[in-house]
Amino acid sequence: MMESVITLKSLKKSFADREILKGIDLEIKKNEVISVIGSSGSGKSTMLRCINLLEDVTSGDITFYGKSVIGGDIDINEYRSKIVMVFQQFNLFNNMTVLDNCVRPQTVVLKRSKEEAKEIAIKYLKKVGMAEYINARPAQLSGGMKQRVAIARALSMNPEVILFDEPTSALDPEMVGEVLDVMRELASEGLTMIVVTHEMAFARDVSDRVIFIDDGVICEQGDPKEFFASPKTERAKAFLSRFLQ
């Protein structure tokens, strides 16, 4: 049996009087690639932000290797350094070079020396095909290049899990492929990944499991090929027919 890394238990999140997540139960296993799909506003990104503690949870619990993150069984900063996020809008520091963008989080959060952090950053910038741009600034890069730098920055933290929040939705169509190729490679290497995405081919072909969220609840989940071939719920059928047209 694969070990559970993160477990969400009856997770709820409200903004003022609007309930966005209405009791999410989800277990994420080590080395698993999960694609989270659903309509805009269904709660997908909010769930990721709760997992990474960018949002306060209204009720329920999140556990990391069985220890409660909400209940204080685990150091929050340590947890955050192991669960890193790749954002839709890249979130790079525009006043820093590509290399410094990947070095800074390591020296600040992981307390690595600058030399060690540099070595690790260059290793991962090479991996995503961005080594020749280490002295460039984000403004000089295309969207696809920025996102690859953001992925290298995430990998430089040696995370247990990477959360991808619609990593291709801000990109021009021709740049989507270069980012998805990097993600496919990471998936094949056994990195634990939770990917909120509108890229249905990626969800179908690369994921171990697809989670379909609608109106703040998990409506359906399972094997990607089965899900796309014959969704069981009416809501999933309606969503897929809209998407696949």
Side-chain angles (χ1 to χ4, degrees):
M1 276 293 285
M2 280 196 294
E3 192 177 10
S4 291
V5 182
I6 295 171
T7 305
L8 311 183
K9 299 175 179 174
S10 306
L11 193 73
K12 292 186 178 182
K13 173 63 186 175
S14 299
F15 293 102
D17 57 355
R18 187 157 170 253
E19 195 174 40
I20 305 294
L21 299 179
K22 301 174 179 176
I24 299 276
D25 291 295
L26 180 63
E27 201 176 342
I28 295 128
K29 305 276 194 191
K30 198 169 178 58
N31 310 122
E32 192 175 25
V33 177
I34 292 179
S35 285
V36 183
I37 63 171
S39 304
S40 294
S42 57
K44 309 181 302 294
S45 293
T46 301
M47 182 182 82
L48 275 202
R49 292 176 68 83
C50 286
I51 291 173
N52 203 32
L53 306 181
L54 290 170
E55 299 288 355
D56 291 329
V57 170
T58 304
S59 68
D61 199 9
I62 299 169
T63 66
F64 182 60
Y65 289 113
K67 291 182 176 176
S68 172
V69 177
I70 308 296
D73 296 349
I74 187 166
D75 179 71
I76 296 294
N77 293 329
E78 186 193 343
Y79 170 75
R80 272 206 175 122
S81 73
K82 292 180 161 64
I83 313 292
V84 299
M85 189 134 158
V86 173
F87 298 88
Q88 193 174 339
Q89 297 293 347
F90 329 122
N91 288 24
L92 299 175
F93 294 108
N94 289 321
N95 61 337
M96 290 184 190
T97 65
V98 162
L99 184 59
D100 286 340
N101 264 287
C102 296
V103 165
R104 187 73 191 277
Q106 299 182 62
T107 57
V108 172
V109 179
L110 303 179
K111 305 291 185 262
R112 284 179 181 151
S113 71
K114 207 158 182 196
E115 288 64 40
E116 186 191 4
K118 242 180 197 172
E119 205 174 295
I120 290 166
I122 289 168
K123 170 182 155 184
Y124 287 113
L125 285 164
K126 273 185 185 156
K127 186 177 182 61
V128 301
M130 289 300 294
E132 64 196 270
Y133 296 95
I134 59 172
N135 297 316
R137 305 227 169 213
Q140 298 166 286
L141 305 177
S142 71
M145 292 162 125
K146 286 180 194 171
Q147 196 59 292
R148 284 188 282 154
V149 172
I151 293 171
R153 176 180 61 184
L155 291 169
S156 296
M157 301 298 284
N158 294 117
E160 292 263 350
V161 180
I162 299 190
L163 310 174
F164 291 88
D165 188 12
E166 302 198 14
T168 58
S169 64
L171 303 180
D172 293 331
E174 64 270 21
M175 291 169 192
V176 169
E178 66 190 50
V179 172
L180 290 179
D181 285 345
V182 170
M183 292 170 65
R184 277 194 189 92
E185 190 184 336
L186 297 177
S188 72
E189 291 168 6
L191 185 69
T192 309
M193 296 161 56
I194 308 171
V195 185
V196 168
T197 186
H198 289 300
E199 300 293 335
M200 294 299 147
F202 178 90
R204 185 192 61 218
D205 301 337
V206 181
S207 320
D208 298 303
R209 186 159 40 124
V210 166
I211 307 289
F212 171 62
I213 293 186
D214 190 64
D215 196 26
V217 295
I218 293 177
C219 274
E220 196 170 329
Q221 59 175 301
D223 175 86
K225 307 247 180 328
E226 279 174 31
F227 174 81
F228 282 98
S230 53
K232 294 176 181 63
T233 61
E234 289 308 316
R235 287 199 265 185
K237 283 175 192 165
F239 171 78
L240 286 177
S241 69
R242 277 204 311 279
F243 237 100
L244 301 174
Q245 278 164 9

